[in-house]
Amino acid sequence: MNTHSHHNNSASTGTTVSTVSTTRAGVRTRLGRTGAIGLAVLATAATTAVLAPTATAAPRAAEPAFLAPTELPPHASSAWYASPVTAGTPDPLPFCVGPALPGATSVHRDFWTEFDTGAVQVTVVERDETRAKSLAALWNKTIRACADKVEQEDPDMTAEFRDFGSLNVEEGANVYGIHTAHAWGSSDINMFSVGRDGRTVTVVNWGQMGNFQHAQVPDFKRTTTTAVNKLY
């Protein structure tokens, strides 16, 4: 019979199945944003065309910045490596939060080590803050429900969810952990965070073999704070 417990900031052991993918393939280039174009006005009814002064171009909005490899939780035996920032959703999709990522507006960066540890950051710029709040709420809800979903979809799996609280950075960020274990012995720990700055939302997923003892919670919280602060 599957066991499943929800805790806040408590210790636990277990075993799991889905870790962040550590090998990354294709690279695509981010799309730039078009600048504003000044309007020329034809002024006379005769043969002389007089152009009105061109309107000053609106400043281009800065692109959200992504984590650097050195800003991930340190690995004891390997450096971190990173793909270029890439338009679209990661392939494969990240554990838990993947199905909730909007394909058309997502931009991501993959990270990996020489061992069985990986991470991914996905950022979405919404049209306004209301939509950004809704997307952040959806991601938070999806992560909180993930452990139950894992157990429902695979009777041989057990999953434990923990809420590691919120961080006071920009419009706020939430940090979670999920440990999954399979009956035949695999054990993985995944950490997630969802943060927002204005109309931009980012999610970070870090994972490796192990359990909550290997979660590197303080390091992951520092990574999350950096990720949200770097958005703009």
Side-chain angles (χ1 to χ4, degrees), residues 49-89:
V50 180
L51 294 180
T54 302
T56 302
R60 293 176 62 181
E63 297 286 349
F66 278 70
L67 288 165
T70 55
E71 293 165 335
L72 273 292
H75 192 285
S77 306
S78 172
W80 280 95
Y81 307 94
S83 72
V85 174
T86 304
T89 54

Side-chain angles (χ1 to χ4, degrees), residues 112-147:
W112 62 93
T113 68
E114 295 168 8
F115 298 93
D116 210 2
T117 305
V120 61
Q121 180 183 7
V122 184
T123 297
V124 174
V125 180
E126 285 287 12
R127 291 198 296 267
D128 53 50
E129 284 202 38
T130 299
R131 291 178 65 89
K133 289 178 183 178
S134 296
L135 181 60
L138 173 63
W139 287 355
N140 283 309
K141 180 180 178 181
T142 301
I143 295 167
R144 291 187 184 109
C146 184

Side-chain angles (χ1 to χ4, degrees), residues 18-22 24 67 69 71-76 80 94-95 97 111-113 116-121 164 176-178 188-193 203-217 219-221 223-224:
S18 270
T19 330
V20 175
S21 174
T22 60
R24 308 298 173 192
L67 288 165
E71 293 165 335
L72 273 292
H75 192 285
W80 280 95
F95 178 50
V97 75
F111 305 87
W112 62 93
T113 68
D116 210 2
T117 305
V120 61
Q121 180 183 7
F164 288 101
Y176 311 103
I178 296 178
D188 294 313
I189 180 67
N190 276 268
M191 296 292 295
F192 301 87
S193 60
V203 58
V204 181
N205 172 207
W206 168 98
Q208 67 175 21
M209 295 176 63
N211 53 43
F212 278 112
Q213 293 178 347
H214 309 101
Q216 294 184 245
V217 176
D219 291 328
F220 188 73
K221 286 185 174 182
T223 293
T224 297

